[in-house]
Amino acid sequence: MKKLFIYTLLILAGMSAFVSCSKEEKVSLEKENLDYFAITNKPKEKWNALDSLCDTLYRDYGVKIVYEYTPQMIRPNDFYYPPAYDKALAYTRKVMKTLWLEPLKKNFPDYFKKETPIEFILMGGFYHGHPTNTAIAAGAGFNGQFYRLGMGGINNLDLSNKAAVHDHVVILWHEHAHNQDVKYGRGEIFDRISVGTYYKEAWNTKTEAQAVADGFFRKYGGFAPEEDFATTVEHLTRFPKNDVLTLINSNEKLKRKYNLITKFYLDKGMDLHKLQSVIYDLIYKN
Amino acid sequence: MKNILKISGFLSLLLLLFASCEKDNITTTVEELVGTEKQMETDLKQVLGKSPNGWVMMVKSTLADTACIPVVMQFDTTKNMVKMKSVYGTTPNNKSTYLINKGVSGILLNFSGGSIVSSLMRMDRSYGDVTDYVFKVLAVSSDAIKIQCLKSGEAYKQEGGQVYTLFKRPDSWKWADDVTLLDMKTAEAKVGLNNVNGILTLNYIPTSKKVNLGFSFRNSFDSNLAAWQAVDPFYNNASANVFDKFYIFFNPVNYSNTGTIQTVYEDTPVARQGYNALCYLPFSGNASSSTSNAKFVKSIKTPYFVINEVIRNGTNVTIKVASYDKTGKEYITGEYKNFN
Amino acid sequence: MKKYLFSVFIFLICTATLSSCKKFLNEPFDNRLELKNIEDYAGVVKKSYPTRFDLFNEVLTDNFKLVPNLMQDAWKPLYIPIYMFKDDYQHTLGYTSPATAYSHFYNKIYMANLVIDGVLSSQGGTAEKDAVLAEALLVRSYCYFILTNLFGMHYNPATSGTDLAVPLILEVNKENRPSYSRSTVKEVYDQVEADLYKAIEIYEKNPAVVPTNPYRFSLGAAYAFATRLNLYKSDFAKTVLYADKAIGQKGRVLRTLKTDYDVLLKSGWEFFAQQFNDPSAHPNIIMAVQSEYVHHPFGNNWGGFYLAPEVLTQIANNDYRRSIASNAGTVIDNATFIIKNNTGWQTSRYVYFNMEEVLLNRAEGNLRGTAPNPANAVLDLEELRKVRLINYTALNTGAMSNAELLTEVYKERRVEFLTEGLRWYDIKRLGLSVAHKMDQNSSVIDATLLPNDKRSALQIPVNARVGNPVLENQLNPR
């Protein structure tokens, strides 16, 4: 019985081996179908005005600006909504070119060369964990990546409102700070400064004054070390040098964070105080 | 005896094995699939441009059973741009992009830029059943394109949402032409309509039922329109903000109208100016819109009217309206008159 | 002559070979240790303490929510089915799961049985031998207690005679491939009790030889175990009795969480986590176990399970237990976790029994017994609150009914034992229901565990059923 079984098995195994051998040759897949979603580059003759602008920016600054979404662009579990065409066009001209890349390349050439992300995603709205939930979950979302940056709320950004535009650009540098944090690591010493005193999800119940007293530049910085790092960069980018220096002298923790971060950026060729005045002048003195 | 049983059992198992082997015959080859896909991609590219008046996607709201909301799309296949018109509102400059993408599962029609489609995906289902701005293309023929939302909703819902059969825009749909027939924002449109009593007669085509409604226009929101625009569900939701800031007005209505113009009204639904259309989808932020519109939509069995013709004869104004079913056939036709 | 010499030579060689053979055969072929002396058995019993592979049960509770984008993809096939109360999780032995727990606890039972079988006939002093026997009985008892609570319905006097638990194996197997059938919950509980009380009796008789090491069963740990056992059996008089005895052994020493928090402020998360379950710095820990690193899908920023919103609202803002929580992901993810068991990539340290549990067991016993003693329950409850709250103020217990006090006790249990693997057994014994969502932003509940749900008895894992067909016919109903 046992022998019979083994023989049959052997024969079967042999048969299947030969059968599968002969079938093998037929399988040939087109290369582009190997990916779940094929990557297609729009042919030049199909370019619209924004495509041409993005191409110019890509050639001048090496940043690929993405305003059109394909399934392989977006994480399947998240919901981002592409920006309206006209708004994306105006935004790319004003914010991407005039307020971000141009001054960056001109004033901080070393930093520009090494630290500029290669992809920038424009989002019409904000990040949503659910397609229709009404809670405003802001956040640009793309911050935790080496090469990619993105900003949300483009559909609602009024480019003629200087204060709104200034805030937007400052937040862009906040998001870029996340990128730098992920790339280099803010370091154990930074984390130690406020360890154990982060507000976590209760950050929104605090006042800004309380946050400063607790050693955070913004109450949102009290959420977690990541945001502490980014809001510190944001603060330095938002306010003039003298105001920053006055503030940090009021609090030992703020001072330590300031020292760490100015050094972190200066080492890479970025003077955040200079960046602040460049951005401010571009927006308010033109 | 036992042995015989064992052996015959074993043999029958073997038989089963072989039998199932034979069944497992896949007749479609990879090459064929790739070929079908390529054909479909070519067909889609051609067909999209072959309807100069555009293609229509009928979106279903949870508020109406038969009436569906039309979105008209005109594809510019040379530049991959698409213009959309719909009853939800007017769109500035009316431009967005689309792409034909490929996935392993087939060809995708991707409304890749912000548009009415991505905006509807973001709204709740009373605004429509669109759950993605990327669609699987299921079938393409010269007069119909069958597409399906790639996602069906939340992240953990199964793939594959609502299926739509796009059809060519019928010529009789004058509302979707480029000419503005009625825009209540403008002073000239208000003439003969604003604060004037009128009557709206509706014909329900499938049942041949006729309904008379006392009907009027009232520009009560004009004085603080900007404040109202802040509660526009599309505008205050950046992800869905692709329309002009809305223009709203009251359409006072009398459900117990007897066939002649009267001066009393029972309720005041809020209309939103669509593209040559009146849209009655409720929105939170206005109590009248939430309750009166819900009642009105339920009563007239449609959340919108398109305006196909406006006839002005002296002070007499006649407006011809319609509402369509899933296939684009007239479900309701109607006529508003401000004279008996 | 030459021939003669040769013969002698051959003869000598033969004798040498044969006699060395004898010696060789006397030794175990692979140099394994032969259990002869009391020290040998004591060595085995020290190795028989199980790792807390039952901690995966936190995933089943209402303590945690799933945040999939903060979970390592490799763990999804294992933990998401468990979170959905399904039996078809991936059987990757080594990660904490029902399958791992099953095989691990039975391994330890084998070792305990080895000691129980042989220790009394080994060489050594009677008192010492008894103490080793008692320790092995405690290990076996503890293992069966955990196994029955995982794989059986909760102990219910009305049905425990028929509810199936796990196979009861009390001897070292000597057959080739024996098959085992499941015993009832009552049989297993009876065995657990018999072993436990016998061990306590031995310990009480010979206090001088009882281990005092916090990584082994001391008398205090045995009493703490008895408190938990009786609480789970709803025998409240005995719960209080053994709690009193456990406290008598060590005194009512609780963790001063402020001290741990100060360590965090001074030295950061890494050292804080390393020292958190160190019994030498925390006298409240009655018994702990240190083992190789075991992965848990909670208590870190990549595991995927984070504190459920309902449990977070139970922790007051002035509670130090809020201060020892940390955040994963971004502000959008809203993912909070509590670090307790991590010591590093090499080792983990877990608590078996601590004084907080004894105290809360006693408080519950004092409230639910036939002669309730709310005053004593309040004393225990406040004693814990004193060392948990910043600016402690007493509860207005004068105005509280026994039921309200009990609610407070349950609230403290839930918060105090987060990530410690006790909540699941509370859910089972108190008949609570649990609702789990796949998408936290959605209103849809994807899996609900009803009170006394059949699925609260986890399915006998596939690795146990392979080669033991008897179990296939005794699966938990679904």
Side-chain angles (χ1 to χ4, degrees), chain B residues 59-88:
Chain B
V59 173
K60 193 164 179 339
S61 157
T62 49
L63 300 175
D65 292 333
T66 309
C68 285
I69 307 170
V71 178
V72 177
M73 305 166 171
Q74 277 170 291
F75 293 88
D76 170 1
T77 49
T78 55
K79 290 281 175 206
N80 274 38
M81 302 293 282
V82 55
K83 285 185 174 191
M84 298 191 193
K85 288 175 188 143
S86 80
V87 305
Y88 298 99

PDB file of all heavy atoms in Angstrom, chain B residues 59-88:
ATOM      1  N   VAL B  59     -25.626  61.372 -11.428  1.00  0.00           N
ATOM      2  CA  VAL B  59     -25.244  61.085 -10.049  1.00  0.00           C
ATOM      3  C   VAL B  59     -26.496  60.941  -9.209  1.00  0.00           C
ATOM      4  O   VAL B  59     -27.443  61.715  -9.353  1.00  0.00           O
ATOM      5  CB  VAL B  59     -24.380  62.254  -9.507  1.00  0.00           C
ATOM      6  CG1 VAL B  59     -24.100  62.075  -8.045  1.00  0.00           C
ATOM      7  CG2 VAL B  59     -23.101  62.368 -10.304  1.00  0.00           C
ATOM      8  N   LYS B  60     -26.507  59.933  -8.353  1.00  0.00           N
ATOM      9  CA  LYS B  60     -27.722  59.680  -7.575  1.00  0.00           C
ATOM     10  C   LYS B  60     -27.577  60.219  -6.158  1.00  0.00           C
ATOM     11  O   LYS B  60     -26.602  59.931  -5.465  1.00  0.00           O
ATOM     12  CB  LYS B  60     -27.996  58.185  -7.544  1.00  0.00           C
ATOM     13  CG  LYS B  60     -29.384  57.868  -7.046  1.00  0.00           C
ATOM     14  CD  LYS B  60     -29.776  56.454  -7.384  1.00  0.00           C
ATOM     15  CE  LYS B  60     -31.169  56.097  -6.868  1.00  0.00           C
ATOM     16  NZ  LYS B  60     -31.705  56.891  -5.807  1.00  0.00           N
ATOM     17  N   SER B  61     -28.569  60.994  -5.755  1.00  0.00           N
ATOM     18  CA  SER B  61     -28.593  61.518  -4.384  1.00  0.00           C
ATOM     19  C   SER B  61     -29.417  60.574  -3.520  1.00  0.00           C
ATOM     20  O   SER B  61     -30.341  59.914  -4.004  1.00  0.00           O
ATOM     21  CB  SER B  61     -29.232  62.905  -4.395  1.00  0.00           C
ATOM     22  OG  SER B  61     -29.744  63.210  -3.128  1.00  0.00           O
ATOM     23  N   THR B  62     -29.127  60.525  -2.238  1.00  0.00           N
ATOM     24  CA  THR B  62     -29.935  59.679  -1.349  1.00  0.00           C
ATOM     25  C   THR B  62     -31.316  60.277  -1.125  1.00  0.00           C
ATOM     26  O   THR B  62     -32.188  59.641  -0.549  1.00  0.00           O
ATOM     27  CB  THR B  62     -29.250  59.514   0.017  1.00  0.00           C
ATOM     28  OG1 THR B  62     -28.872  60.812   0.487  1.00  0.00           O
ATOM     29  CG2 THR B  62     -28.013  58.636  -0.082  1.00  0.00           C
ATOM     30  N   LEU B  63     -31.512  61.520  -1.599  1.00  0.00           N
ATOM     31  CA  LEU B  63     -32.776  62.198  -1.308  1.00  0.00           C
ATOM     32  C   LEU B  63     -33.856  61.919  -2.344  1.00  0.00           C
ATOM     33  O   LEU B  63     -35.019  62.230  -2.129  1.00  0.00           O
ATOM     34  CB  LEU B  63     -32.549  63.704  -1.217  1.00  0.00           C
ATOM     35  CG  LEU B  63     -31.572  64.168  -0.137  1.00  0.00           C
ATOM     36  CD1 LEU B  63     -31.335  65.652  -0.235  1.00  0.00           C
ATOM     37  CD2 LEU B  63     -32.089  63.794   1.242  1.00  0.00           C
ATOM     38  N   ALA B  64     -33.496  61.383  -3.516  1.00  0.00           N
ATOM     39  CA  ALA B  64     -34.500  61.138  -4.552  1.00  0.00           C
ATOM     40  C   ALA B  64     -34.361  59.718  -5.087  1.00  0.00           C
ATOM     41  O   ALA B  64     -33.262  59.179  -5.164  1.00  0.00           O
ATOM     42  CB  ALA B  64     -34.311  62.134  -5.692  1.00  0.00           C
ATOM     43  N   ASP B  65     -35.511  59.130  -5.448  1.00  0.00           N
ATOM     44  CA  ASP B  65     -35.490  57.741  -5.913  1.00  0.00           C
ATOM     45  C   ASP B  65     -35.198  57.638  -7.406  1.00  0.00           C
ATOM     46  O   ASP B  65     -34.383  56.835  -7.829  1.00  0.00           O
ATOM     47  CB  ASP B  65     -36.832  57.065  -5.624  1.00  0.00           C
ATOM     48  CG  ASP B  65     -37.039  56.896  -4.135  1.00  0.00           C
ATOM     49  OD1 ASP B  65     -36.022  56.798  -3.425  1.00  0.00           O
ATOM     50  OD2 ASP B  65     -38.200  56.895  -3.681  1.00  0.00           O
ATOM     51  N   THR B  66     -35.902  58.433  -8.202  1.00  0.00           N
ATOM     52  CA  THR B  66     -35.791  58.293  -9.658  1.00  0.00           C
ATOM     53  C   THR B  66     -34.916  59.377 -10.269  1.00  0.00           C
ATOM     54  O   THR B  66     -34.090  59.099 -11.123  1.00  0.00           O
ATOM     55  CB  THR B  66     -37.192  58.330 -10.302  1.00  0.00           C
ATOM     56  OG1 THR B  66     -38.008  57.389  -9.608  1.00  0.00           O
ATOM     57  CG2 THR B  66     -37.133  57.968 -11.764  1.00  0.00           C
ATOM     58  N   ALA B  67     -35.130  60.617  -9.810  1.00  0.00           N
ATOM     59  CA  ALA B  67     -34.379  61.726 -10.400  1.00  0.00           C
ATOM     60  C   ALA B  67     -32.900  61.594 -10.063  1.00  0.00           C
ATOM     61  O   ALA B  67     -32.543  61.311  -8.930  1.00  0.00           O
ATOM     62  CB  ALA B  67     -34.914  63.047  -9.870  1.00  0.00           C
ATOM     63  N   CYS B  68     -32.043  61.770 -11.093  1.00  0.00           N
ATOM     64  CA  CYS B  68     -30.606  61.767 -10.873  1.00  0.00           C
ATOM     65  C   CYS B  68     -30.037  63.101 -11.327  1.00  0.00           C
ATOM     66  O   CYS B  68     -30.630  63.775 -12.171  1.00  0.00           O
ATOM     67  CB  CYS B  68     -29.950  60.636 -11.658  1.00  0.00           C
ATOM     68  SG  CYS B  68     -30.228  59.041 -10.901  1.00  0.00           S
ATOM     69  N   ILE B  69     -28.885  63.458 -10.752  1.00  0.00           N
ATOM     70  CA  ILE B  69     -28.334  64.796 -10.998  1.00  0.00           C
ATOM     71  C   ILE B  69     -27.290  64.720 -12.112  1.00  0.00           C
ATOM     72  O   ILE B  69     -26.343  63.937 -12.027  1.00  0.00           O
ATOM     73  CB  ILE B  69     -27.691  65.345  -9.708  1.00  0.00           C
ATOM     74  CG1 ILE B  69     -28.711  65.263  -8.568  1.00  0.00           C
ATOM     75  CG2 ILE B  69     -27.198  66.767  -9.919  1.00  0.00           C
ATOM     76  CD1 ILE B  69     -28.132  65.554  -7.201  1.00  0.00           C
ATOM     77  N   PRO B  70     -27.472  65.521 -13.181  1.00  0.00           N
ATOM     78  CA  PRO B  70     -26.530  65.428 -14.302  1.00  0.00           C
ATOM     79  C   PRO B  70     -25.249  66.239 -14.090  1.00  0.00           C
ATOM     80  O   PRO B  70     -25.291  67.341 -13.548  1.00  0.00           O
ATOM     81  CB  PRO B  70     -27.320  66.029 -15.474  1.00  0.00           C
ATOM     82  CG  PRO B  70     -28.284  66.969 -14.837  1.00  0.00           C
ATOM     83  CD  PRO B  70     -28.557  66.472 -13.447  1.00  0.00           C
ATOM     84  N   VAL B  71     -24.113  65.651 -14.505  1.00  0.00           N
ATOM     85  CA  VAL B  71     -22.859  66.384 -14.605  1.00  0.00           C
ATOM     86  C   VAL B  71     -22.412  66.230 -16.061  1.00  0.00           C
ATOM     87  O   VAL B  71     -22.213  65.109 -16.524  1.00  0.00           O
ATOM     88  CB  VAL B  71     -21.780  65.805 -13.663  1.00  0.00           C
ATOM     89  CG1 VAL B  71     -20.464  66.557 -13.835  1.00  0.00           C
ATOM     90  CG2 VAL B  71     -22.232  65.867 -12.209  1.00  0.00           C
ATOM     91  N   VAL B  72     -22.336  67.343 -16.775  1.00  0.00           N
ATOM     92  CA  VAL B  72     -21.968  67.284 -18.189  1.00  0.00           C
ATOM     93  C   VAL B  72     -20.479  67.547 -18.324  1.00  0.00           C
ATOM     94  O   VAL B  72     -19.957  68.490 -17.729  1.00  0.00           O
ATOM     95  CB  VAL B  72     -22.767  68.325 -19.014  1.00  0.00           C
ATOM     96  CG1 VAL B  72     -22.327  68.311 -20.478  1.00  0.00           C
ATOM     97  CG2 VAL B  72     -24.254  68.045 -18.906  1.00  0.00           C
ATOM     98  N   MET B  73     -19.796  66.693 -19.055  1.00  0.00           N
ATOM     99  CA  MET B  73     -18.348  66.811 -19.191  1.00  0.00           C
ATOM    100  C   MET B  73     -17.956  66.919 -20.653  1.00  0.00           C
ATOM    101  O   MET B  73     -18.270  66.040 -21.450  1.00  0.00           O
ATOM    102  CB  MET B  73     -17.665  65.560 -18.618  1.00  0.00           C
ATOM    103  CG  MET B  73     -18.049  65.258 -17.197  1.00  0.00           C
ATOM    104  SD  MET B  73     -17.526  63.595 -16.809  1.00  0.00           S
ATOM    105  CE  MET B  73     -17.837  63.581 -15.058  1.00  0.00           C
ATOM    106  N   GLN B  74     -17.238  67.977 -20.976  1.00  0.00           N
ATOM    107  CA  GLN B  74     -16.726  68.127 -22.349  1.00  0.00           C
ATOM    108  C   GLN B  74     -15.225  67.907 -22.321  1.00  0.00           C
ATOM    109  O   GLN B  74     -14.493  68.649 -21.658  1.00  0.00           O
ATOM    110  CB  GLN B  74     -17.044  69.525 -22.868  1.00  0.00           C
ATOM    111  CG  GLN B  74     -18.450  69.654 -23.419  1.00  0.00           C
ATOM    112  CD  GLN B  74     -18.783  71.098 -23.686  1.00  0.00           C
ATOM    113  OE1 GLN B  74     -18.932  71.883 -22.749  1.00  0.00           O
ATOM    114  NE2 GLN B  74     -18.899  71.463 -24.948  1.00  0.00           N
ATOM    115  N   PHE B  75     -14.790  66.896 -23.045  1.00  0.00           N
ATOM    116  CA  PHE B  75     -13.377  66.527 -23.000  1.00  0.00           C
ATOM    117  C   PHE B  75     -12.614  67.184 -24.142  1.00  0.00           C
ATOM    118  O   PHE B  75     -13.022  67.100 -25.300  1.00  0.00           O
ATOM    119  CB  PHE B  75     -13.214  65.011 -23.090  1.00  0.00           C
ATOM    120  CG  PHE B  75     -13.749  64.295 -21.886  1.00  0.00           C
ATOM    121  CD1 PHE B  75     -15.087  63.898 -21.813  1.00  0.00           C
ATOM    122  CD2 PHE B  75     -12.922  64.025 -20.803  1.00  0.00           C
ATOM    123  CE1 PHE B  75     -15.574  63.246 -20.694  1.00  0.00           C
ATOM    124  CE2 PHE B  75     -13.411  63.379 -19.690  1.00  0.00           C
ATOM    125  CZ  PHE B  75     -14.735  62.985 -19.634  1.00  0.00           C
ATOM    126  N   ASP B  76     -11.496  67.832 -23.788  1.00  0.00           N
ATOM    127  CA  ASP B  76     -10.566  68.331 -24.799  1.00  0.00           C
ATOM    128  C   ASP B  76      -9.424  67.324 -24.866  1.00  0.00           C
ATOM    129  O   ASP B  76      -8.526  67.329 -24.026  1.00  0.00           O
ATOM    130  CB  ASP B  76     -10.076  69.723 -24.383  1.00  0.00           C
ATOM    131  CG  ASP B  76      -8.929  70.211 -25.247  1.00  0.00           C
ATOM    132  OD1 ASP B  76      -8.529  69.483 -26.183  1.00  0.00           O
ATOM    133  OD2 ASP B  76      -8.425  71.318 -24.986  1.00  0.00           O
ATOM    134  N   THR B  77      -9.512  66.431 -25.852  1.00  0.00           N
ATOM    135  CA  THR B  77      -8.576  65.305 -25.851  1.00  0.00           C
ATOM    136  C   THR B  77      -7.179  65.697 -26.307  1.00  0.00           C
ATOM    137  O   THR B  77      -6.242  64.938 -26.143  1.00  0.00           O
ATOM    138  CB  THR B  77      -9.092  64.146 -26.744  1.00  0.00           C
ATOM    139  OG1 THR B  77      -9.464  64.705 -27.991  1.00  0.00           O
ATOM    140  CG2 THR B  77     -10.272  63.462 -26.127  1.00  0.00           C
ATOM    141  N   THR B  78      -7.042  66.896 -26.892  1.00  0.00           N
ATOM    142  CA  THR B  78      -5.686  67.280 -27.291  1.00  0.00           C
ATOM    143  C   THR B  78      -4.875  67.742 -26.093  1.00  0.00           C
ATOM    144  O   THR B  78      -3.666  67.564 -26.040  1.00  0.00           O
ATOM    145  CB  THR B  78      -5.716  68.399 -28.343  1.00  0.00           C
ATOM    146  OG1 THR B  78      -6.479  69.483 -27.818  1.00  0.00           O
ATOM    147  CG2 THR B  78      -6.317  67.919 -29.637  1.00  0.00           C
ATOM    148  N   LYS B  79      -5.532  68.375 -25.127  1.00  0.00           N
ATOM    149  CA  LYS B  79      -4.806  68.895 -23.973  1.00  0.00           C
ATOM    150  C   LYS B  79      -5.150  68.171 -22.665  1.00  0.00           C
ATOM    151  O   LYS B  79      -4.731  68.598 -21.576  1.00  0.00           O
ATOM    152  CB  LYS B  79      -5.109  70.390 -23.796  1.00  0.00           C
ATOM    153  CG  LYS B  79      -4.502  71.265 -24.885  1.00  0.00           C
ATOM    154  CD  LYS B  79      -3.022  71.507 -24.632  1.00  0.00           C
ATOM    155  CE  LYS B  79      -2.368  72.287 -25.767  1.00  0.00           C
ATOM    156  NZ  LYS B  79      -0.954  72.030 -25.892  1.00  0.00           N
ATOM    157  N   ASN B  80      -5.944  67.122 -22.765  1.00  0.00           N
ATOM    158  CA  ASN B  80      -6.391  66.403 -21.575  1.00  0.00           C
ATOM    159  C   ASN B  80      -7.041  67.324 -20.530  1.00  0.00           C
ATOM    160  O   ASN B  80      -6.722  67.270 -19.352  1.00  0.00           O
ATOM    161  CB  ASN B  80      -5.228  65.643 -20.940  1.00  0.00           C
ATOM    162  CG  ASN B  80      -5.047  64.275 -21.562  1.00  0.00           C
ATOM    163  OD1 ASN B  80      -5.216  64.126 -22.764  1.00  0.00           O
ATOM    164  ND2 ASN B  80      -4.726  63.286 -20.755  1.00  0.00           N
ATOM    165  N   MET B  81      -7.881  68.198 -21.025  1.00  0.00           N
ATOM    166  CA  MET B  81      -8.618  69.058 -20.103  1.00  0.00           C
ATOM    167  C   MET B  81     -10.097  68.691 -20.206  1.00  0.00           C
ATOM    168  O   MET B  81     -10.554  68.173 -21.222  1.00  0.00           O
ATOM    169  CB  MET B  81      -8.446  70.537 -20.459  1.00  0.00           C
ATOM    170  CG  MET B  81      -7.017  71.041 -20.466  1.00  0.00           C
ATOM    171  SD  MET B  81      -6.223  71.077 -18.858  1.00  0.00           S
ATOM    172  CE  MET B  81      -6.922  72.542 -18.157  1.00  0.00           C
ATOM    173  N   VAL B  82     -10.829  68.962 -19.149  1.00  0.00           N
ATOM    174  CA  VAL B  82     -12.260  68.670 -19.186  1.00  0.00           C
ATOM    175  C   VAL B  82     -13.010  69.838 -18.569  1.00  0.00           C
ATOM    176  O   VAL B  82     -12.579  70.432 -17.590  1.00  0.00           O
ATOM    177  CB  VAL B  82     -12.565  67.318 -18.471  1.00  0.00           C
ATOM    178  CG1 VAL B  82     -12.031  67.276 -17.067  1.00  0.00           C
ATOM    179  CG2 VAL B  82     -14.045  67.000 -18.487  1.00  0.00           C
ATOM    180  N   LYS B  83     -14.120  70.190 -19.226  1.00  0.00           N
ATOM    181  CA  LYS B  83     -14.989  71.253 -18.698  1.00  0.00           C
ATOM    182  C   LYS B  83     -16.238  70.583 -18.162  1.00  0.00           C
ATOM    183  O   LYS B  83     -16.817  69.730 -18.824  1.00  0.00           O
ATOM    184  CB  LYS B  83     -15.400  72.203 -19.821  1.00  0.00           C
ATOM    185  CG  LYS B  83     -14.308  73.150 -20.259  1.00  0.00           C
ATOM    186  CD  LYS B  83     -14.879  74.122 -21.276  1.00  0.00           C
ATOM    187  CE  LYS B  83     -13.832  75.182 -21.617  1.00  0.00           C
ATOM    188  NZ  LYS B  83     -14.395  76.280 -22.381  1.00  0.00           N
ATOM    189  N   MET B  84     -16.651  70.973 -16.974  1.00  0.00           N
ATOM    190  CA  MET B  84     -17.844  70.344 -16.404  1.00  0.00           C
ATOM    191  C   MET B  84     -18.909  71.384 -16.098  1.00  0.00           C
ATOM    192  O   MET B  84     -18.601  72.502 -15.703  1.00  0.00           O
ATOM    193  CB  MET B  84     -17.470  69.627 -15.108  1.00  0.00           C
ATOM    194  CG  MET B  84     -16.467  68.520 -15.317  1.00  0.00           C
ATOM    195  SD  MET B  84     -16.321  67.531 -13.827  1.00  0.00           S
ATOM    196  CE  MET B  84     -14.847  66.601 -14.209  1.00  0.00           C
ATOM    197  N   LYS B  85     -20.138  70.969 -16.316  1.00  0.00           N
ATOM    198  CA  LYS B  85     -21.273  71.824 -15.944  1.00  0.00           C
ATOM    199  C   LYS B  85     -22.215  70.982 -15.108  1.00  0.00           C
ATOM    200  O   LYS B  85     -22.464  69.819 -15.425  1.00  0.00           O
ATOM    201  CB  LYS B  85     -22.005  72.287 -17.198  1.00  0.00           C
ATOM    202  CG  LYS B  85     -21.240  73.315 -17.997  1.00  0.00           C
ATOM    203  CD  LYS B  85     -21.961  73.625 -19.273  1.00  0.00           C
ATOM    204  CE  LYS B  85     -21.103  74.511 -20.157  1.00  0.00           C
ATOM    205  NZ  LYS B  85     -21.259  74.165 -21.568  1.00  0.00           N
ATOM    206  N   SER B  86     -22.733  71.600 -14.056  1.00  0.00           N
ATOM    207  CA  SER B  86     -23.659  70.816 -13.240  1.00  0.00           C
ATOM    208  C   SER B  86     -24.632  71.729 -12.538  1.00  0.00           C
ATOM    209  O   SER B  86     -24.468  72.948 -12.533  1.00  0.00           O
ATOM    210  CB  SER B  86     -22.896  70.013 -12.201  1.00  0.00           C
ATOM    211  OG  SER B  86     -22.560  70.846 -11.122  1.00  0.00           O
ATOM    212  N   VAL B  87     -25.618  71.115 -11.933  1.00  0.00           N
ATOM    213  CA  VAL B  87     -26.664  71.887 -11.263  1.00  0.00           C
ATOM    214  C   VAL B  87     -26.224  72.342  -9.877  1.00  0.00           C
ATOM    215  O   VAL B  87     -26.903  73.120  -9.247  1.00  0.00           O
ATOM    216  CB  VAL B  87     -27.964  71.068 -11.149  1.00  0.00           C
ATOM    217  CG1 VAL B  87     -28.406  70.576 -12.510  1.00  0.00           C
ATOM    218  CG2 VAL B  87     -27.804  69.907 -10.194  1.00  0.00           C
ATOM    219  N   TYR B  88     -25.078  71.852  -9.387  1.00  0.00           N
ATOM    220  CA  TYR B  88     -24.660  72.197  -8.018  1.00  0.00           C
ATOM    221  C   TYR B  88     -24.240  73.656  -7.914  1.00  0.00           C
ATOM    222  O   TYR B  88     -24.366  74.280  -6.871  1.00  0.00           O
ATOM    223  CB  TYR B  88     -23.476  71.334  -7.578  1.00  0.00           C
ATOM    224  CG  TYR B  88     -23.778  69.866  -7.528  1.00  0.00           C
ATOM    225  CD1 TYR B  88     -23.406  69.031  -8.581  1.00  0.00           C
ATOM    226  CD2 TYR B  88     -24.425  69.316  -6.430  1.00  0.00           C
ATOM    227  CE1 TYR B  88     -23.680  67.676  -8.536  1.00  0.00           C
ATOM    228  CE2 TYR B  88     -24.696  67.952  -6.383  1.00  0.00           C
ATOM    229  CZ  TYR B  88     -24.318  67.149  -7.446  1.00  0.00           C
ATOM    230  OH  TYR B  88     -24.587  65.807  -7.391  1.00  0.00           O
TER     231      TYR B  88
END
